[in-house]
Amino acid sequence: MTGPTVLFDLDGTLTDSRAGITACIRHALGKLGRACPDDDALATYIGPPLRGTLSTLLDTSDPALIEEALAHYRTRYDDVGLFENRVYDGVPEMLDATARRAPSMFVATAKLLPVAVRIVGHFELARHFAGVYGAEPGGRFDAKIDLLAHLIESEVIQAETSVMVGDRAGDILAAKVNRIRSVGALWGYGDSGELAGAGADLLCESPRALAACLSRLAG
């Protein structure tokens, strides 16, 4: 194996989770009697930590209100929403091709770890990964900067020989802070302006193109 260790985001990179996430945000805001933007507007919030999203949508910094909204969200998400999801076309082939070059691959997501593990298992992706890393209850590792630092330390991998693949600015910025190169996934929820502006080392058009993108990055 001569390629980099590859870290994959989950929402917007491996799976299209728009239907479940937007429905659960709508459910949470409805439970609190709050108005909710349309689904296209809600989709722009997919990726960053959920507490920050709910704070913005509720226009509040009140921790108790944010946690109440989060509880409503998770009640629906844990039973229904996490399966209102699909693997992007080309992702299984992308993972097979990447595995032939990468010494190991990991999932690094802002989702709660148990939920991420369930999703990866449900969609039969677990065999590709040496580990799944996600947030913990109470907010630990909500910030992807902290999550990637934790992953590097826990797995004893080298940042300089790793690559983060993600679809939002937060993925790219977290990689930069941790001295990890990054590929912006243009098939997800972030556009080229967002990803290039965050400092992605390379932009990739589709899952099937990732192997070539990783080769270019290594070259």
Side-chain angles (χ1 to χ4, degrees):
M1 296 288 186
T2 58
T5 297
V6 185
L7 318 178
F8 287 95
D9 178 43
L10 181 56
D11 293 333
T13 302
L14 299 178
T15 66
D16 180 359
S17 52
R18 170 174 167 149
I21 290 176
T22 56
C24 292
I25 293 175
R26 188 174 300 283
H27 171 78
L29 296 184
K31 284 288 189 179
L32 296 175
R34 298 296 189 94
C36 186
D38 64 25
D39 284 353
D40 286 341
L42 288 179
T44 65
Y45 292 100
I46 298 174
L50 191 54
R51 283 183 176 84
T53 292
L54 293 172
S55 175
T56 299
L57 291 172
L58 292 167
D59 191 23
T60 184
S61 58
D62 179 0
L65 183 58
I66 294 168
E67 292 302 315
E68 183 180 0
L70 187 61
H72 289 309
Y73 175 97
R74 286 179 175 159
T75 294
R76 186 185 188 280
Y77 191 83
D78 290 352
D79 287 341
V80 179
L82 79 167
F83 299 127
E84 295 172 326
N85 199 347
R86 71 176 186 89
V87 176
Y88 282 111
D89 292 343
V91 161
E93 296 86 350
M94 172 187 78
L95 295 175
D96 283 334
T98 304
R100 288 193 285 270
R101 288 181 50 87
S104 56
M105 302 190 299
F106 297 88
V107 174
T109 174
K111 282 190 178 303
L112 284 177
L113 177 57
V115 173
V117 169
R118 287 179 68 192
I119 292 170
V120 170
H122 175 76
F123 289 109
E124 300 182 351
L125 301 176
R127 66 184 178 86
H128 296 286
F129 299 105
V132 177
Y133 283 77
E136 296 182 359
R140 188 177 184 222
F141 304 133
D142 271 4
K144 190 152 279 187
I145 291 171
D146 298 335
L147 180 68
L148 294 187
H150 171 61
L151 192 162
I152 290 168
E153 181 179 3
S154 298
E155 297 294 338
V156 196
I157 60 176
Q158 295 182 324
E160 58 269 26
T161 57
S162 300
V163 175
M164 177 75 208
V165 181
D167 69 306
R168 299 307 305 265
D171 300 312
I172 307 305
L173 293 170
K176 287 181 75 69
V177 170
N178 283 286
R179 299 178 292 106
I180 299 169
R181 291 169 296 168
S182 61
V183 173
L186 291 175
W187 61 88
Y189 303 117
D191 60 22
S192 58
E194 175 183 337
L195 294 166
D201 292 287
L202 202 64
L203 301 181
C204 188
E205 291 288 342
S206 71
R208 290 184 177 91
L210 183 66
C213 289
L214 291 174
S215 293
R216 286 171 56 196
L217 201 59

